[in-house]
Amino acid sequence: MGDYLSKQGLSQELFRVEIQNLDLYGYGIKGYILSMIEAAMNISNHTISMEIIEKIIVYGKELLEKPIELLEGVEQTLSTLHGKYKLIVATKGDLKDQRRKLHNSGLGHYFHHIEVMTDKQEVDYSDLLKRLEIKPSEFMMIGNSLKSDVLPVLEIGGYAVHIPFHTTWEHEKINHKVEHSNFVTLDKITAVLPLLLK
């Protein structure tokens, strides 16, 4: 697609199409691939070759079949906390893809509950906690997105731990610093253990 736009221009158009399609496709690889095809059609003024569309589809299948790589300390942390807390996966995206990833990770047995949300807004967390009969003040979310994992949880009265990751989707970035008594940023997941095992 470099014949049509610069790398930055291509990224901007793909991002625009992804955001435009979020309400329809939700989060996940399948929606991303459909948005890639649509962006390619837009950029090429509908002259994109079937060969390039086929490459995009192959790329999507490769992403879906990509092996799971556990981040350092994740299993150790889950193993240490298992049985001491109700551990919950609260993620968003395509249900089938997220369940496949959890199954292939070998970590599913550590969790009390698995929730694949269509989004991660205050109402989504509130509904989850009501169903599980957990008070917000008894809930701690650990994640890499300030927008989805931290801010909504703080708003409903929960605790949030941010563990930054080197790549973050543009849609998940925020433009302000988070300061809250129920919030902390840590450099690795094992650093939550001293907070929870006092």
Side-chain angles (χ1 to χ4, degrees), residues 136-150:
S137 60
E138 299 170 338
F139 179 69
M140 175 184 281
M141 181 68 182
I142 302 167
N144 68 328
S145 169
L146 289 168
K147 183 177 179 181
S148 294
D149 298 324
V150 171

Side-chain angles (χ1 to χ4, degrees), residues 15 18-19 21-33 35 64 91-98 101 116-121 124 145 147-148 169-172:
F15 180 68
E18 279 184 284
I19 298 305
N21 288 336
L22 271 182
D23 285 344
L24 189 60
Y25 299 149
Y27 297 88
I29 293 171
K30 293 171 192 169
Y32 174 68
I33 296 307
S35 292
L64 287 167
T91 188
K92 63 185 177 183
D94 179 78
L95 179 63
K96 187 171 183 177
D97 186 39
Q98 294 292 34
K101 285 195 276 191
V116 181
M117 305 168 161
T118 53
D119 206 347
K120 287 167 127 180
Q121 303 288 329
D124 301 298
S145 169
K147 183 177 179 181
S148 294
W169 187 30
E170 200 64 37
H171 180 62
E172 293 295 328

Side-chain angles (χ1 to χ4, degrees), residues 16-104:
R16 186 192 70 76
V17 173
E18 279 184 284
I19 298 305
Q20 175 186 292
N21 288 336
L22 271 182
D23 285 344
L24 189 60
Y25 299 149
Y27 297 88
I29 293 171
K30 293 171 192 169
Y32 174 68
I33 296 307
L34 288 170
S35 292
M36 280 185 75
I37 292 170
E38 183 178 340
M41 289 168 53
N42 293 346
I43 291 163
S44 70
N45 197 25
H46 296 267
T47 62
I48 196 74
S49 71
M50 291 306 294
E51 182 183 12
I52 292 179
I53 291 175
E54 187 176 9
K55 282 182 182 178
I56 293 171
I57 292 169
V58 168
Y59 174 65
K61 288 180 178 178
E62 287 173 359
L63 284 175
L64 287 167
E65 294 170 350
K66 194 173 180 184
I68 301 301
E69 294 178 27
L70 294 181
L71 296 177
E72 185 179 345
V74 168
E75 186 156 19
Q76 175 194 344
T77 302
L78 292 173
S79 176
T80 303
L81 296 176
H82 184 64
K84 298 175 179 68
Y85 288 92
K86 283 183 179 178
L87 302 177
I88 300 163
V89 173
T91 188
K92 63 185 177 183
D94 179 78
L95 179 63
K96 187 171 183 177
D97 186 39
Q98 294 292 34
R99 288 190 179 275
R100 176 195 60 82
K101 285 195 276 191
L102 188 61
H103 176 267
N104 291 349

Side-chain angles (χ1 to χ4, degrees), residues 113-169:
H113 181 78
I114 297 160
E115 185 83 7
V116 181
M117 305 168 161
T118 53
D119 206 347
K120 287 167 127 180
Q121 303 288 329
E122 292 169 40
V123 66
D124 301 298
Y125 284 105
S126 293
D127 289 347
L128 170 65
L129 296 185
K130 280 178 194 165
R131 279 196 311 278
L132 297 178
E133 299 180 340
I134 298 170
K135 296 175 185 172
S137 60
E138 299 170 338
F139 179 69
M140 175 184 281
M141 181 68 182
I142 302 167
N144 68 328
S145 169
L146 289 168
K147 183 177 179 181
S148 294
D149 298 324
V150 171
L151 294 178
V153 171
L154 294 177
E155 284 297 319
I156 65 168
Y159 291 82
V161 175
H162 181 231
I163 303 174
F165 192 61
H166 62 274
T167 56
T168 302
W169 187 30

